[in-house]
Amino acid sequence: QRERLRPAGLRRGAALGRVHVERRPAQPRRPAKGCPIDCSSTGERAAITRQSGFSADRKMRSTLLLLAAAAAGAATVEVRFTADFADAVTSTSSTSCRGGAYRAYALAASAGLRIDGGGVAAACGSTTLCAQVFASMGYNGWALNADDIASSSLNTFINTVGSKPVASNYATGNTVSFANLGDAVLLAVSSTSSKTHTYRGAIAVALAEARDAGIDFETTPVILSVNGISDAETQDILGDETASGASDGSAAILKLAAETTDVDLVITTGISGLSDGSVTYIVGEESDKSTNWAGDRVYVASLGASSSVQQIALGFANGVPSSATRTSTSCSSYDTFVDGMIRGTVDTVRIGMLCDSGTAAREECDAGRAAIDAINNKNDGYFDDLLPLTKLEVTVAFFDQGNCGDTNDPSAYVAWTSELTPVSPVAVVGPGGSTCLKSVASVDARSSHGSDALVMSESSTATSISDRSKYPNIVRLSSSERLVMESLSVVTKHYGWKRIAVVYDAADAWASDAARIFSEKLGDAGGTVLGDTCVSSSCRTLSEAGSDLKGVRFDESGGLTASKADDILDALDDADARIVYVAAHPADQSILFERIKQTQKLYGTGYAWLSGWLSEDIFLNDDGTTNADAVEGARGLILAMERAVTTGAVAQDFIAHRATGLDDDVCTGALMAGKYCDLDEDPETVGGYGPQVVDTVHTLAKALDSLSSSSDRQNPDRIYDAVVTAGAYPGFQSFSGTVVLDGIAERQGSLTIMNLQLVTSSRRRLGVPLSSTSAEFVAVGRTVGGKFLLDAEVIFPGGTTKVPLDHTPEDDDEARMDTGLAVG
């Protein structure tokens, strides 16, 4: 099991309860490839492969695997390839595909992976625009040739492009040994005197690293790009000290193709003896122990791709390569966006992102980054018609959610003034929490930092922020706290709970607002708030709390401590509380739930806990590992979560774009272009309020797209008006479903009731290492017309379905509530 939570969440400024995305059925990327008879000995085979990159012994594929491969059917991988262009992509010439705009148009003429085999960096030199144009051309992966590696401006070029090239035999901090392109894995070697590995060694390392990264070679084709070959490489492969690249290079390449484990297609450029446009294949023979372990076809395509776009359609049958067809596309028209980049007619809109620095919150932030990348990429088939001549230039600033009550580092305000003020964004995505949002978007805050930028929050819900005279130019993509509390109120009425304790952070605007509204709803239903004490030395009363809010409250500048959490539990016990609602930050809740487990106070059967702000960070330690005690203490938790329906075209396109960049190794540290934090690396799920972050970016893009002039797209007031217009009923389709905004740009959504359960099997787990058990937020119902419609069984603390009473029962025969009042 994973040692980190699989994100889930509802957060009133962060979220809990991971969203599962229903994907359309897709064709298999590739039927399963065969393996040796002893393929069950995965440890031995892996060790052999990691050592050399070649199989120690090739054996016949098992009958069972042959049948499985045949059942998988046939599939085709389309590859569109360019390499060794002498002209920079900033050229505007259509002749021989010299101009980048013409090349981009030809690359996008049909579906397929887009790969450049090298030469672009050398042709561009140190020109920043050239690198930016190349980045906009829609390549899925790119490699280096010898001229690129020799270029003194290579690293500058790579940094400007924003993605690392594949250079399997030239290992540096700015290159990678392989690239996962989604439909295939790319390896690349080139003839350079600066090599760090031989061709053979480089391929072995790249395959081992790809395997360690989770690539399944049984279902993922492997493409090897070879740009030239030296005498030394030829001699190493052929075992002949007299061999030369000029006369024996083709023989070396064919042998390399035959013996290399798991490679299906070799694309060569600049190899003497292999004529341009030729496509051949090698069939391993059982008597030849150097051939690949399955004895499958390995296709070798020699492509002269420096004057046109070359295509290879690699067919598979019975799980192995069966055909390879080459075609080419000339350059007859140009891509509008790339041409605009070259000619300087693309409109650039500077936007900011304010992201919480928590581990789980990083996934939400990167969901927004992925959405921006998808919109900016005009050649990937996703959102290409949205802002066709506009580029979103983003600056990401991080802050600590717990510091938003002041202006000290690393608060949202400091992140704004230090990171965003220098670039003057016209719109900012985030922050999510209401206190953080107030700190940067109130009239007073704007007067201080000097920006009137549109601020778009994915998860702020505090009702006080609805006052546009105090909080101008704000868009909120989550339903207000009043709607959330109405949903929880329906749940409490359903179970007949009238005596409920309220725990809240008295220093936090959102918590005070949420606690007040929950208490008002409880009072309207004839209920009573239990407890009225401050466990801190003193507790302030914010305007959001009103004048007579009761409850067990705390006010700790450094956050809740274990000692104060114990005081809260003692106060709840003194009040004979059985049902408790909590309005507090994730870090504070983590301490509280942890202490519930450790002290056994208010723990297990007979209690119920509700929360208004849940983030996966509640269940994560600082190092990203799971806090199992916090999970156990929160077992049975109930919350209302913004509903997300992700079966629409917008969600599907976003999933497809984001899938190849997912990586749980980038959830800490510096941001990486094209890489997105995802704690479970599952493209079908998006953690926390990630769906609403994507909605925020998409809403901004639709508003910008509706404005006809570049000056309007630089005007926050005009953008705000455009957002309101776009979101007016009936709204529009976005990632989480239909977005409908009211007249002050606040979402009118619907909510789902979630329940934290411990399960033994599931499609979407939190990955908690509790023996064979995992934690999962289960959608158990909806609130419709004032009723709680159950869709699944609610599991309360202690793992029971028996509904807790809101008072201490006199004996075990106390009457029980019926959990099936309304079933939907």
Side-chain angles (χ1 to χ4, degrees):
Q1 302 238 1
R2 304 178 79 82
E3 292 191 352
R4 283 182 285 184
L5 280 174
R6 183 170 181 179
L10 175 63
R11 137 182 160 183
R12 302 273 61 83
L16 181 61
R18 191 172 184 86
V19 176
H20 182 78
V21 179
E22 298 294 339
R23 298 191 72 179
R24 297 191 192 105
Q27 294 299 316
R29 289 179 180 168
R30 178 193 175 183
K33 181 188 289 184
C35 68
I37 291 174
D38 61 348
C39 63
S40 59
S41 304
T42 53
E44 178 183 356
R45 183 182 169 209
I48 294 172
T49 305
R50 288 168 60 86
Q51 177 182 0
S52 66
F54 308 99
S55 182
D57 186 22
R58 178 179 58 79
K59 300 181 179 179
M60 293 296 292
R61 187 187 304 107
S62 71
T63 302
L64 178 62
L65 286 167
L66 272 170
L67 293 174
T76 301
V77 175
E78 302 281 350
V79 179
R80 304 179 72 79
F81 186 81
T82 60
D84 302 327
F85 277 86
D87 294 274
V89 291
T90 49
S91 169
T92 57
S93 172
S94 64
T95 304
S96 301
C97 287
R98 293 173 184 170
Y102 289 91
R103 210 178 307 169
Y105 188 89
L107 283 165
S110 63
L113 295 174
R114 302 162 193 175
I115 299 171
D116 187 83
V120 176
C124 280
S126 59
T127 306
T128 299
L129 177 61
C130 194
Q132 293 173 338
V133 169
F134 177 65
S136 71
M137 290 172 62
Y139 283 100
N140 300 100
W142 58 294
L144 303 176
N145 66 13
D147 291 339
D148 294 328
I149 294 172
S151 172
S152 60
S153 55
L154 175 61
N155 289 338
T156 300
F157 178 84
I158 292 172
N159 291 333
T160 304
V161 170
S163 64
K164 294 183 178 182
V166 182
S168 306
N169 67 325
Y170 179 64
T172 72
N174 276 331
T175 63
V176 293
S177 65
F178 75 96
N180 180 6
L181 309 184
D183 288 333
V185 169
L186 174 64
L187 282 56
V189 293
S190 62
S191 179
T192 173
S193 59
S194 301
K195 66 182 181 183
T196 56
H197 302 287
T198 64
Y199 281 10
R200 281 176 153 180
I203 294 168
V205 169
L207 289 171
E209 291 182 352
R211 188 175 291 107
D212 289 345
I215 301 298
D216 182 5
F217 295 137
E218 303 299 319
T219 57
T220 307
V222 179
I223 299 169
L224 170 64
S225 173
V226 181
N227 194 300
I229 189 166
S230 67
D231 291 349
E233 294 290 355
T234 303
Q235 292 165 9
D236 177 69
I237 295 169
L238 296 178
D240 182 356
E241 295 183 358
T242 65
S244 70
S247 59
D248 304 301
S250 59
I253 292 299
L254 294 178
K255 183 177 181 183
L256 184 67
E259 69 183 10
T260 303
T261 304
D262 290 321
V263 170
D264 301 290
L265 172 65
V266 180
I267 299 177
T268 70
T269 56
I271 304 296
S272 178
L274 294 177
S275 58
D276 287 347
S278 65
V279 180
T280 186
Y281 63 86
I282 301 297
V283 179
E285 296 295 337
E286 183 65 28
S287 60
D288 182 358
K289 297 302 182 182
S290 68
T291 55
N292 62 28
W293 51 265
D296 300 329
R297 291 186 179 186
V298 180
Y299 281 88
V300 179
S302 178
L303 303 182
S306 60
S307 60
S308 63
V309 174
Q310 297 287 309
Q311 295 98 245
I312 292 290
L314 182 64
F316 288 84
N318 298 325
V320 297
S322 60
S323 64
T325 304
R326 185 197 69 86
T327 56
S328 65
T329 301
S330 59
C331 296
S332 57
S333 189
Y334 62 86
D335 180 272
T336 304
F337 182 81
V338 176
D339 186 67
M341 289 280 293
I342 295 170
R343 299 180 187 277
T345 58
V346 168
D347 182 25
T348 298
V349 176
R350 291 187 175 88
I351 65 173
M353 289 189 72
L354 281 174
C355 297
D356 183 5
S357 56
T359 301
R362 179 68 168 266
E363 180 171 348
E364 299 175 20
C365 179
D366 279 6
R369 291 179 52 240
I372 292 170
D373 289 346
I375 292 168
N376 279 340
N377 190 335
K378 307 304 180 185
N379 293 289
D380 62 354
Y382 309 119
F383 312 111
D384 291 351
D385 296 328
L386 185 61
L387 295 173
L389 278 174
T390 299
K391 178 183 178 182
L392 302 178
E393 190 171 284
V394 63
T395 300
V396 180
F398 289 96
F399 67 94
D400 184 342
Q401 186 84 241
N403 275 41
C404 286
D406 54 51
T407 57
N408 296 324
D409 187 38
S411 68
Y413 180 85
V414 171
W416 185 301
T417 55
S418 62
E419 302 293 334
L420 301 186
T421 296
V423 297
S424 300
V426 298
V428 177
V429 175
S434 293
T435 299
C436 296
L437 182 60
K438 283 187 168 187
S439 73
V440 298
S442 68
V443 169
D444 290 343
R446 291 177 183 277
S447 176
S448 179
H449 61 58
S451 173
D452 62 350
L454 179 70
V455 181
M456 307 181 69
S457 177
E458 72 276 10
S459 53
S460 165
T461 59
T463 56
S464 58
I465 296 178
S466 297
D467 186 345
R468 288 293 173 266
S469 67
K470 296 179 179 179
Y471 304 99
N473 275 3
I474 287 179
V475 178
R476 298 200 287 179
L477 269 295
S478 287
S479 301
S480 75
E481 200 61 43
R482 190 164 297 280
L483 180 59
V484 175
M485 291 305 108
E486 285 176 0
S487 294
L488 286 181
S489 177
V490 169
V491 174
T492 60
K493 290 177 183 177
H494 173 75
Y495 291 123
W497 294 332
K498 292 183 179 297
R499 301 174 70 255
I500 304 177
V502 174
V503 176
Y504 70 97
D505 181 354
D508 185 75
W510 162 78
S512 296
D513 186 58
R516 175 182 58 80
I517 298 174
F518 182 88
S519 299
E520 290 174 353
K521 294 291 183 184
L522 180 62
D524 292 343
T528 302
V529 173
L530 303 181
D532 185 15
T533 185
C534 171
V535 301
S536 300
S537 58
S538 64
C539 291
R540 71 196 89 177
T541 301
L542 301 181
S543 60
E544 286 82 0
S547 58
D548 58 355
L549 177 61
K550 296 180 180 180
V552 179
R553 51 203 180 274
F554 63 93
D555 188 342
E556 299 292 318
S557 60
L560 193 64
T561 63
S563 175
K564 292 301 178 184
D566 290 349
D567 290 342
I568 290 173
L569 295 176
D570 288 339
L572 293 172
D573 190 49
D574 291 342
D576 192 28
R578 293 279 166 169
I579 315 300
V580 185
Y581 167 74
V582 182
H585 281 244
D588 296 328
Q589 289 194 64
S590 182
I591 295 293
L592 182 62
F593 289 125
E594 181 181 55
R595 294 303 294 163
I596 289 172
K597 166 63 176 175
Q598 293 171 352
T599 65
Q600 301 289 295
K601 295 177 181 178
L602 280 77
Y603 174 71
T605 304
Y607 298 96
W609 292 84
L610 303 96
S611 179
W613 178 347
L614 276 134
S615 164
E616 49 267 35
D617 280 327
I618 293 174
F619 307 112
L620 296 179
N621 297 311
D622 290 341
D623 62 358
T625 58
T626 300
N627 184 332
D629 283 348
V631 174
E632 284 280 12
R635 184 181 186 183
L637 200 58
I638 296 172
L639 60 138
M641 173 179 156
E642 191 83 29
R643 189 180 181 211
V645 179
T646 53
T647 55
V650 172
Q652 297 297 315
D653 285 351
F654 170 74
I655 292 165
H657 171 87
R658 174 175 172 263
T660 59
L662 299 185
D663 191 340
D664 66 353
D665 289 331
V666 299
C667 293
T668 58
L671 297 173
M672 291 182 62
K675 293 292 184 180
Y676 314 113
C677 166
D678 193 277
L679 294 178
D680 65 358
E681 296 184 304
D682 182 354
E684 297 185 4
T685 59
V686 183
Y689 260 89
Q692 283 71 34
V693 176
V694 178
D695 287 344
T696 302
V697 173
H698 188 228
T699 299
L700 173 61
K702 285 188 71 69
L704 291 169
D705 193 52
S706 71
L707 297 172
S708 58
S709 71
S710 60
S711 60
D712 285 347
R713 288 190 287 272
Q714 304 297 331
N715 186 323
D717 293 333
R718 293 293 180 86
I719 300 172
Y720 175 83
D721 292 341
V723 168
V724 172
T725 300
Y729 185 82
F732 60 90
Q733 286 298 308
S734 192
F735 181 79
S736 69
T738 302
V739 171
V740 177
L741 305 175
D742 62 15
I744 56 172
E746 297 198 342
R747 190 167 194 169
Q748 306 298 291
S750 59
L751 292 104
T752 300
I753 304 302
M754 308 294 288
N755 176 219
L756 180 62
Q757 301 181 6
L758 300 187
V759 298
T760 55
S761 64
S762 172
R763 288 191 303 172
R764 50 187 189 91
R765 297 180 177 179
L766 303 183
V768 181
L770 306 174
S771 301
S772 60
T773 304
S774 292
E776 173 181 344
F777 272 86
V778 177
V780 293
R782 299 151 286 143
T783 56
V784 179
K787 291 185 178 182
F788 179 24
L789 302 184
L790 286 169
D791 296 319
E793 200 165 42
V794 176
I795 307 298
F796 295 99
T800 179
T801 58
K802 179 180 178 180
V803 180
L805 299 176
D806 61 4
H807 59 279
T808 302
E810 294 180 358
D811 54 57
D812 291 340
D813 294 327
E814 191 84 19
R816 304 181 184 182
M817 293 294 301
D818 180 9
T819 63
L821 180 63
V823 178

